[in-house]
């Protein structure tokens, strides 16, 4: 959940690293630091955002051609200057940054303390570094070998990068479970948690795999496994533009990403869905169609917003493919010892592709013979790599911590998968298939109208921003959308909000309703419409304030609700890609109205790489 950046080459390292850390700040931002090699090792670190580190270094001699940098999301040791990275070895000659968790660090710390080592921080990282240092001393070996020996003894997840005063032209890096990408330049190399700090310098990158170690010099990149065998680096060309990372004129990444959805959903369908021809082309699905269509059940494993996309997919897959679906919270699934049969199909949904709970859950399921189908946004990420097959969501880099465009892209991919399986399985007739592929194809053209509700939603945000609680209600396909709306509001505005199936209200939550409680109904036209109308009456009868997201032309609910947000009409199966947009906007505008940092909400990080 931290961001790491490193550089070695002819350029001034500090500005490259600082800029990179700012790009990665969405991964964690409670403290940061750099280590620079310039006639000796200089380490500077500070609690708070990267800007505070930058401020504290004004006037210092920061010249260096090699350096490492880190922006932190605390796991072991509270956010503070002393727990910030980089950490230094006892002899002051090594500095190291780390993203991940060393699970057996207390045991290692005990061993080192017996040898007289002391520790200036509470972190697992400092323990690993001094463990490496101790191996180097006792085995009289080089740093690379010491790292290899040490990593065979640690359990947990890590990306580490070390800089060595005695070997100023070499950085050592290694990875297991956390992401690391290396950018190849002319006589220089860039290391980072993802490509965003690298892209403005080079598009040639190497994604480092688990248990790989990198020896990086200005004009040389050597990859080895922990068995000291050389590995040929697999160079990939990045297909994203810097602008995709920048805010593109929007005040926040979250708003930019909400407004990108007509394009991102289109990009997601492009080259896959052809409504005119009535075809869906997805190699990952086609190559595994027998397992998918003959699956006894499908389990969808995910966290947070991706779990909500999985819940929509449950309704869609069961409806179209007549295959039972279970949607699992990855954090529970990984420890619940679920019953997995050989050949069971697991769909892993993840924007970052690095969420630890989802990653470990599917690793365990794969060991038991399940087939893993990944639905992932970040190309080359861990979940993508360990999946047997998959489909990328092509939503582009999602920088805002609150997931928005990735959610609608996940829905588009999961709906295409369901349609493809149903078509191949013959569980829907051609008329319905053609109707739905056309409905799906039209979504990117309907999203702009949903985005045009922004001004109306902004007014509602001003009206309801001081509410203490919110309820979000929906039925059928709109129930998961209600859950997603509530999650967005919680994440961005820190207002307590709950999503519920609307009919569940009378089994308890309706006791919460009074004139101070805004109740958001996701009530677009569907087979539950009459039912949701009576649910709205139940709330109105108890003076609740009803905000309803309705379909164009719905003149029933528009007369009942206190406030309505109108989105284009669409088949209920694809409507969640429209009805969620006003909810994304409502959370955003309430967050902004409350003066909150909507791109970096408190206590949250974009990619949760530790459990
Ligand atoms: C959503 O806005 C949050 N950022 C969070 O719930 C997120 O969806 C969850 O951590 C899963 O992340 P993933 O999709 O990258 O696996």
């Amino acid at each position: 959940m931290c961001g790491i950046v490193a550089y070695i080459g002819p350029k001034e390292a500090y500005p490259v690293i600082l800029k990179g850390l700012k790009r990665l700040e969405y991964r964690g931002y409670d403290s940061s630091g750099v280590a620079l090699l310039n006639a000796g090792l200089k380490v500077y670190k500070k609690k708070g955002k990267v800007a505070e580190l930058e401020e504290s270094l004004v006037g210092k001699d920061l010249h260096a051609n090699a350096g490492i940098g880190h922006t932190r999301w605390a796991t072991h040791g509270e956010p503070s200057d002393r727990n910030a990275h980089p950490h230094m070895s006892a002899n002051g000659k090594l500095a190291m940054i780390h993203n991940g968790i060393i699970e057996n660090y207390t045991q290692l710390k005990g061993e080192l303390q017996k040898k007289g080592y002391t520790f200036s921080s509470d972190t697992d990282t400092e323990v690993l570094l001094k463990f490496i240092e101790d191996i180097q001393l006792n085995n009289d070996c080089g740093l690379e070998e010491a790292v290899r020996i040490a990593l065979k003894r640690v359990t947990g997840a890590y990306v580490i990068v070390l800089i060595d005063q005695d070997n100023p032209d070499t950085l050592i890096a290694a990875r297991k479970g956390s992401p690391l990408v290396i950018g190849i330049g002319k006589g220089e190399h860039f290391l980072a948690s993802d490509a965003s700090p690298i892209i403005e310098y080079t598009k040639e990158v190497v994604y480092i795999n688990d248990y790989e170690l990198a020896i990086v010099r200005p004009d040389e990149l050597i990859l080895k496994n922990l068995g000291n065998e050389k590995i040929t680096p697999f160079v990939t060309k990045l297909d994203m533009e810097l602008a995709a990372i920048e805010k593109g004129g929007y005040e926040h990444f979250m708003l930019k990403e909400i407004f990108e959805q007509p394009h991102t959903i289109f990009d997601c369908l492009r080259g896959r869905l052809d409504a005119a021809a009535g075809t869906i082309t997805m190699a990952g699905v086609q190559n595994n169609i027998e397992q998918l269509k003959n699956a006894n059940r499908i389990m969808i494993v995910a966290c947070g917003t991706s779990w909500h996309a999985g819940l929509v997919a449950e309704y869609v897959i069961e409806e179209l493919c007549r295959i039972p679906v279970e949607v699992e919270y990855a954090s529970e699934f990984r420890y619940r010892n679920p019953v997995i049969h050989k050949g069971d199909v697991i769909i892993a949904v993840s924007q970052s592709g690095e969420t630890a709970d989802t990653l470990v859950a599917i690793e365990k399921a794969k060991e038991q013979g399940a087939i893993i189908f990944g639905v992932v946004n970040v190309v080359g990420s861990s979940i993508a790599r360990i999946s047997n097959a998959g489909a990328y969501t092509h939503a582009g880099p999602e920088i805002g911590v609150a997931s928005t465009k990735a959610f609608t892209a996940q829905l588009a991919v999961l709906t295409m998968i369901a349609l493809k399986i149903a078509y191949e399985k013959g569980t829907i007739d051609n008329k319905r298939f053609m109707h739905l592929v056309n409905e799906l194809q039209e979504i990117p053209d309907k999203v702009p109208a949903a985005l045009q509700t922004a001004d109306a939603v902004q007014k509602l945000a001003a009206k309801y921003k001081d509410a203490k609680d919110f309820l979000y209600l929906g039925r059928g396909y709109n129930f998961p959308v209600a859950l997603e709306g509530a999650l967005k509001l919680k994440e961005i505005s820190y207002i307590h909000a709950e999503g519920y199936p609307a009919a569940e209200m009378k089994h308890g939550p309706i006791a919460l309703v009074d004139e101070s409680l805004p109740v958001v109904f996701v009530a677009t036209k569907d087979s539950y419409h009459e039912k949701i109308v009576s649910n709205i009456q139940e709330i109105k009868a108890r003076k609740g304030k009803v905000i309803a997201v309705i379909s164009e032309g719905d003149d029933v609910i528009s007369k009942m609700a206190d406030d309505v947000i109108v989105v284009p009409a669409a088949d209920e199966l694809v409507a969640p890609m429209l009805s969620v947009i006003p909810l994304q906007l409502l959370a955003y505008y309430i967050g902004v109205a409350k003066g909150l940092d909507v791109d970096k909400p408190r206590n949250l990080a974009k990619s949760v790489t530790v459990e």
Side-chain angles (χ1 to χ4, degrees):
M1 225 147 46
C2 307
I4 62 117
V5 182
Y7 173 79
I8 190 157
K11 287 187 177 64
E12 281 298 325
Y14 175 64
V16 171
I17 292 169
L18 190 74
K19 201 175 199 179
L21 288 179
K22 287 182 178 168
R23 288 240 164 85
L24 290 179
E25 229 176 350
Y26 67 91
R27 299 178 61 84
Y29 35 86
D30 61 39
S31 52
S32 65
V34 292
L36 301 171
L37 211 43
N38 150 12
L41 200 49
K42 296 215 173 50
V43 173
Y44 307 102
K45 47 190 186 173
K46 191 137 187 45
K47 183 176 181 221
K49 298 199 171 153
V50 175
E52 288 159 70
L53 173 74
E54 183 179 18
E55 181 64 30
S56 71
L57 298 183
V58 173
K60 289 207 183 327
D61 171 7
L62 300 168
H63 164 65
N65 297 117
I68 59 177
H70 185 273
T71 178
R72 186 172 188 238
W73 170 254
T75 50
H76 290 94
E78 66 179 18
S80 63
D81 290 4
R82 68 191 186 86
N83 286 332
H85 297 209
H87 288 281
M88 289 193 83
S89 57
N91 63 12
K93 290 189 172 177
L94 301 174
M96 185 171 94
I97 50 178
H98 168 221
N99 172 25
I101 281 190
I102 305 302
E103 287 165 6
N104 61 336
Y105 87 105
T106 35
Q107 177 216 333
L108 298 175
K109 190 172 186 175
E111 290 172 23
L112 291 166
Q113 282 169 327
K114 283 203 195 86
K115 293 183 176 183
Y117 283 88
T118 57
F119 296 89
S120 58
S121 79
D122 313 317
T123 66
D124 50 343
T125 307
E126 187 186 6
V127 172
L128 175 56
L129 176 57
K130 289 183 174 164
F131 184 56
I132 292 167
E133 178 185 15
D134 186 58
I135 290 168
Q136 205 180 0
L137 285 175
N138 294 327
N139 300 275
D140 190 19
C141 63
L143 182 58
E144 179 200 328
E145 189 174 352
V147 169
R148 230 193 336 274
I149 296 168
L151 295 181
K152 288 185 186 142
R153 281 272 325 269
V154 300
T155 57
Y158 57 78
V159 157
I160 53 175
V161 184
L162 293 97
I163 191 164
D164 178 0
Q165 183 171 299
D166 293 345
N167 295 290
D169 66 344
T170 306
L171 298 176
I172 302 284
R175 178 235 139 107
K176 177 187 168 271
S178 298
L180 176 62
V181 55
I182 299 182
I184 301 169
K186 293 199 176 32
E188 58 187 357
H189 285 97
F190 308 81
L191 295 80
S193 300
D194 67 29
S196 55
I198 293 173
I199 190 163
E200 74 178 84
Y201 306 104
T202 175
K203 294 219 171 178
E204 310 278 314
V205 297
V206 175
Y207 289 99
I208 306 304
N209 294 311
D210 277 358
Y211 303 108
E212 287 182 359
L213 199 126
I215 299 97
V216 189
R217 300 192 177 92
D219 46 20
E220 189 182 27
L221 167 62
I222 299 167
L223 286 191
K224 290 184 178 177
N225 59 24
L226 292 187
N228 197 19
E229 294 149 341
K230 277 204 174 167
I231 300 162
T232 312
F234 178 71
V235 181
T236 313
K237 199 162 184 52
L238 285 173
D239 65 354
M240 68 160 110
E241 296 308 319
L242 183 56
I245 304 173
E246 304 290 351
K247 288 189 187 134
Y250 288 90
E251 199 191 341
H252 296 101
F253 282 114
M254 183 180 180
L255 190 63
K256 173 181 174 261
E257 287 152 9
I258 291 172
F259 275 82
E260 277 180 3
Q261 292 179 100
H263 312 292
T264 49
I265 299 173
F266 179 81
D267 289 348
C268 191
L269 303 177
R270 182 176 36 202
R272 291 164 161 170
L273 182 83
D274 182 340
T279 59
I280 293 176
T281 314
M282 298 175 86
V285 176
Q286 197 54 49
N287 300 346
N288 298 276
I289 195 65
E290 290 312 315
Q291 285 102 333
L292 290 169
K293 73 180 190 185
N294 300 321
N296 299 326
R297 62 176 174 166
I298 291 178
M299 288 174 277
I300 300 178
V301 175
C303 303
T305 288
S306 296
W307 188 88
H308 293 149
L311 200 55
V312 174
E314 175 182 31
Y315 285 74
V316 173
I317 294 170
E318 292 195 342
E319 161 80 15
L320 299 182
C321 311
R322 309 312 295 147
I323 298 173
V325 174
E326 293 156 25
V327 185
E328 302 279 353
Y329 280 116
S331 53
E332 288 299 311
F333 187 79
R334 66 179 286 184
Y335 287 114
R336 195 186 75 230
N337 189 17
V339 179
I340 295 176
H341 305 300
K342 192 163 175 24
D344 270 352
V345 172
I346 293 192
I347 299 180
V349 185
S350 177
Q351 186 287 125
S352 62
E354 302 294 351
T355 298
D357 285 325
T358 308
L359 191 53
V360 176
I362 57 177
E363 277 170 351
K364 286 191 170 178
K366 196 175 179 183
E367 283 155 19
Q368 295 172 56
I371 295 156
I372 311 298
F373 193 96
V375 172
V376 174
N377 192 46
V378 176
V379 176
S381 58
S382 311
I383 292 174
R385 278 202 297 274
I386 79 159
S387 297
N388 300 96
Y392 284 120
T393 48
H394 299 310
E398 189 174 66
I399 311 287
V401 166
S403 187
T404 53
K405 62 177 181 173
F407 177 68
T408 49
Q410 287 164 348
L411 296 184
V413 163
L414 291 162
T415 305
M416 283 193 284
I417 294 170
L419 282 166
K420 181 78 180 166
I421 298 172
Y423 181 84
E424 298 286 342
K425 210 174 170 221
T427 44
I428 58 172
D429 60 29
N430 197 47
K431 184 162 169 289
R432 180 138 170 74
F433 176 77
M434 290 307 289
H435 163 72
L436 289 171
V437 290
N438 278 290
E439 282 281 329
L440 185 53
Q441 184 100 55
E442 287 164 10
I443 289 291
D445 303 329
K446 290 180 178 175
V447 171
L451 291 168
Q452 272 148 27
T453 66
D455 294 348
V457 174
Q458 190 166 14
K459 292 196 181 69
L460 289 182
K463 181 176 175 184
Y464 290 106
K465 70 177 175 56
D466 300 320
K468 293 280 167 292
D469 305 278
F470 267 73
L471 268 180
Y472 286 73
L473 304 177
R475 299 183 72 140
Y477 297 102
N478 283 331
F479 160 50
V481 179
L483 292 175
E484 177 56 12
L487 175 62
K488 289 282 103 53
L489 190 72
K490 282 181 268 200
E491 287 187 89
I492 296 300
S493 74
Y494 315 155
I495 296 174
H496 171 246
E498 286 188 74
Y500 261 94
E504 255 319 279
M505 288 299 293
K506 45 189 174 295
H507 303 290
I510 200 161
L512 297 168
V513 178
D514 63 21
E515 57 282 350
S516 69
L517 182 72
V519 181
V520 179
F521 275 86
V522 188
T524 49
K525 265 272 169 59
D526 60 15
S527 48
Y528 301 80
H529 198 257
E530 269 160 52
K531 304 288 180 209
I532 205 111
V533 166
S534 50
N535 295 138
I536 292 175
Q537 282 157 344
E538 287 163 8
I539 301 296
K540 290 304 298 168
R542 290 154 182 88
K543 302 192 174 38
K545 291 283 178 292
V546 171
I547 303 162
V549 178
I550 62 173
S551 301
E552 209 168 15
D554 179 337
D555 49 18
V556 176
I557 296 178
S558 56
K559 295 193 183 70
M560 299 168 66
D562 299 270
D563 299 288
V564 291
I565 306 161
V566 181
V567 296
D571 186 285
E572 64 183 328
L573 198 133
V574 296
M577 282 173 259
L578 299 172
S579 57
V580 73
I581 291 174
L583 305 185
Q584 297 167 343
L585 290 165
L586 184 63
Y588 171 77
Y589 285 122
I590 289 180
V592 170
K594 293 179 73 172
L596 302 171
D597 186 342
V598 293
D599 277 344
K600 296 180 194 145
R602 72 184 183 196
N603 304 342
L604 286 178
K606 183 65 184 169
S607 167
V608 185
T609 52
V610 289
E611 66 170 303

